[in-house]
Amino acid sequence: MLKPLSGIQIAQKSVKHSPTNKLIDALVGILSGCKALYEIDCRVRPDLPLQRAFGRERCADQSTISRTLNAFSEQNIAQLRRAVEAIHRTNSPIFSHPFEQEMLLLEVDLTGLRASKGAEGSTKGYFSGERNRTGRQLVRVSAPGYGELIFEKLYPGNTTSCEVLKETLKEVERFLDLDEAKRKRTLLRIDGGFGTDENLNWLCWRGYQFVAKGYGGRRANKLAKSVPEDGWREGPTKSQFLGVPTTPHRYARKTKSVLRRWFDGKGKPHKDYLVSTLFELSSAQIAKLYDGRGGMEVDIKGDKRGLGIEKRRKKSFHAQEALVLLAQLSHNLLVWFKRWFLGGTEAAKLGVERLVRDVFAMPAQVRVGRFSGMVRLKLAHLHPWAKAVAVGIEAQCPRNGWHTIWRQS
């Protein structure tokens, strides 16, 4: 599965471990819950069965892995991206999505990754809830219907959402081969940072369907004045009211605008507006569809805590982007593992953080017969996910000699 990583040509001398092998070691460290590279020496290097599961006889030292990442150039990043995409194409069901039967839902978001002032590309910018912080920005495109990350790219910390939407979607079009017919059956869900008139008109011209929050608050106040007082209706969220303006802003295609107003816990009023090309939907349906973005926020937090995408920091911009791409690959590997291995079990509902923290860190014993080659896996009886793993093994490996024991011995 990881063979495409061998195509990365890093200008670095190989002594005991090739650059490709060290990238695999870094990947294993991410999947093992290492929040920093130095933890590889404690979690991965002593675990020989884990290394052999990834085709490694011995794990490289964290310092040599770090030097390999520091040696990354822009060309190496392009090679790593192609390798990650090749692995994605081979294993993801999204490339056979039935566009004629249902639309493909994609979400775009820009999230801040804090970093020190001296790091390359680290500048002051927007970092949720924190002022005067420095860091970088990470744009990510996900497909919530599949749970997969489609595209990720690192930017300097002063980059804003509205600047990167077009470039990002062009990369997505290239990767997913979205022609005009497929774009008409692709639904984008984006927040207010992307929702400028220029971006929304561009989406209209490209043929996408979308539900987006409009950019800025002044227009929301202006549109709210055109909603009759008896035109407000309760929305799908508590204490939220929806209204349809009589004089909405016009875009390059027919759209429907929906005003939202609510009061926060201190009684302060707030307003914003949503724009969607799905004009046949009711206001409540559009608002509910947009509220589904909350799942992406949960996924981002899960990746930050489970895969350590913010904790694992490098001074070199290219080294940090290499870690971002390895984390993207890790996320998708976990999704495919859950679908293939844990499907139909209670563990299938777990997110990335719980998979890494609870399932992948489960204590177990592995024994391989010296002559027969039979593998015996003994799991902790009281572990809450032991039965799910046992069921997954027995379902996927019924003929190769696996024997799973999850009862107490």
Side-chain angles (χ1 to χ4, degrees):
M1 177 184 286
L2 301 179
K3 188 176 180 181
L5 294 177
S6 61
I8 303 170
Q9 305 297 323
I10 301 175
Q12 189 182 43
K13 185 187 298 183
S14 298
V15 181
K16 292 183 179 180
H17 308 278
S18 69
T20 298
N21 287 335
K22 284 180 275 190
L23 289 179
I24 293 175
D25 292 339
L27 178 68
V28 176
I30 295 173
L31 292 171
S32 301
C34 298
K35 297 297 189 297
L37 289 177
Y38 70 82
E39 293 184 11
I40 291 176
D41 286 355
C42 302
R43 294 195 179 194
V44 181
R45 291 199 81 194
D47 196 336
L48 295 180
L50 174 62
Q51 297 168 40
R52 289 172 183 170
F54 284 84
R56 299 281 286 124
E57 291 297 324
R58 175 67 67 180
C59 175
D61 180 84
Q62 61 88 14
S63 61
T64 63
I65 296 174
S66 183
R67 283 195 291 270
T68 296
L69 292 170
N70 290 336
F72 260 74
S73 64
E74 186 175 355
Q75 181 182 2
N76 297 140
I77 291 297
Q79 293 171 347
L80 179 56
R81 187 178 298 281
R82 287 195 293 269
V84 171
E85 290 178 351
I87 296 171
H88 201 156
R89 287 191 182 95
T90 304
N91 297 278
S92 174
I94 197 172
F95 293 93
S96 56
H97 179 80
F99 284 91
E100 295 181 357
Q101 300 175 20
E102 60 177 330
M103 285 193 285
L104 174 63
L105 176 61
L106 299 178
E107 294 184 322
V108 188
D109 196 71
L110 190 75
T111 184
L113 301 181
R114 293 168 295 177
S116 65
K117 294 180 181 179
E120 294 178 0
S122 178
T123 64
K124 287 186 178 181
Y126 176 75
F127 298 91
S128 181
E130 299 184 61
R131 289 185 176 182
N132 299 320
R133 286 305 302 260
T134 59
R136 304 170 176 121
Q137 300 291 339
L138 176 66
V139 66
R140 48 192 278 157
V141 181
S142 63
Y146 295 89
E148 300 174 4
L149 291 179
I150 307 302
F151 179 79
E152 286 193 327
K153 187 174 181 179
L154 198 65
Y155 287 93
N158 55 2
T159 304
T160 59
S161 300
C162 58
E163 299 175 50
V164 300
L165 181 66
K166 297 177 185 178
E167 178 186 355
T168 299
L169 289 179
K170 287 178 181 178
E171 288 292 328
V172 173
E173 290 175 10
R174 172 192 59 80
F175 178 50
L176 295 181
D177 192 24
L178 296 180
D179 55 21
E180 183 178 359
K182 290 181 179 179
R183 290 198 298 271
K184 290 181 179 179
R185 297 291 295 168
T186 300
L187 174 62
L188 299 175
R189 190 158 56 188
I190 55 179
D191 70 6
F194 300 97
T196 62
D197 290 348
E198 179 183 351
N199 281 339
L200 296 186
N201 281 324
W202 184 83
L203 294 179
C204 290
W205 294 326
R206 296 296 291 171
Y208 287 106
Q209 307 294 339
F210 61 82
V211 55
K213 184 192 292 186
Y215 183 83
R218 291 186 178 181
R219 181 174 293 170
N221 292 326
K222 181 180 178 181
L223 293 175
K225 295 178 181 178
S226 69
V227 179
E229 194 56 39
D230 59 353
W232 295 95
R233 300 289 184 271
E234 288 190 13
T237 305
K238 184 180 179 181
S239 72
Q240 182 187 80
F241 290 87
L242 308 176
V244 178
T246 56
T247 55
H249 183 79
R250 298 186 65 178
Y251 295 92
R253 269 181 28 222
K254 185 177 180 180
T255 59
K256 183 173 183 177
S257 297
V258 177
L259 266 295
R260 302 192 301 179
R261 71 177 186 184
W262 68 97
F263 294 88
D264 60 21
K266 297 181 180 180
K268 183 179 179 180
H270 296 272
K271 297 185 186 72
D272 64 13
Y273 67 101
L274 306 178
V275 182
S276 179
T277 54
L278 304 178
F279 52 85
E280 70 278 2
L281 297 182
S282 67
S283 300
Q285 288 174 321
I286 291 176
K288 185 176 181 180
L289 180 60
Y290 181 81
D291 287 344
R293 268 187 56 84
M296 185 176 195
E297 303 297 333
V298 173
D299 287 343
I300 292 174
K301 291 180 181 178
D303 281 2
K304 286 185 176 181
R305 291 194 293 254
L307 301 180
I309 61 174
E310 189 174 38
K311 296 289 186 181
R312 202 177 297 103
R313 304 175 187 177
K314 298 293 290 181
K315 185 175 182 179
S316 165
F317 188 86
H318 293 314
Q320 189 66 48
E321 189 158 21
L323 286 172
V324 163
L325 290 172
L326 289 176
Q328 176 186 339
L329 176 58
S330 299
H331 176 104
N332 289 334
L333 287 174
L334 288 167
V335 170
W336 301 330
F337 167 82
K338 183 170 66 171
R339 184 183 301 132
W340 172 72
F341 203 76
L342 301 177
T345 69
E346 286 294 316
K349 65 184 180 182
L350 298 178
V352 166
E353 182 183 7
R354 295 286 303 278
L355 280 174
V356 172
R357 188 185 66 191
D358 296 346
V359 178
F360 277 30
M362 184 187 304
Q365 291 181 359
V366 180
R367 295 183 180 180
V368 182
R370 180 178 300 178
F371 301 106
S372 66
M374 179 178 289
V375 179
R376 293 172 63 88
L377 177 63
K378 186 176 181 180
L379 305 175
H381 169 65
L382 296 179
H383 196 285
W385 305 115
K387 184 175 181 180
V389 172
V391 170
I393 291 175
E394 291 170 354
Q396 298 297 333
C397 311
R399 300 180 182 178
N400 68 349
W402 280 79
H403 182 58
T404 310
I405 304 174
W406 59 274
R407 63 182 181 275
Q408 188 174 17
S409 58

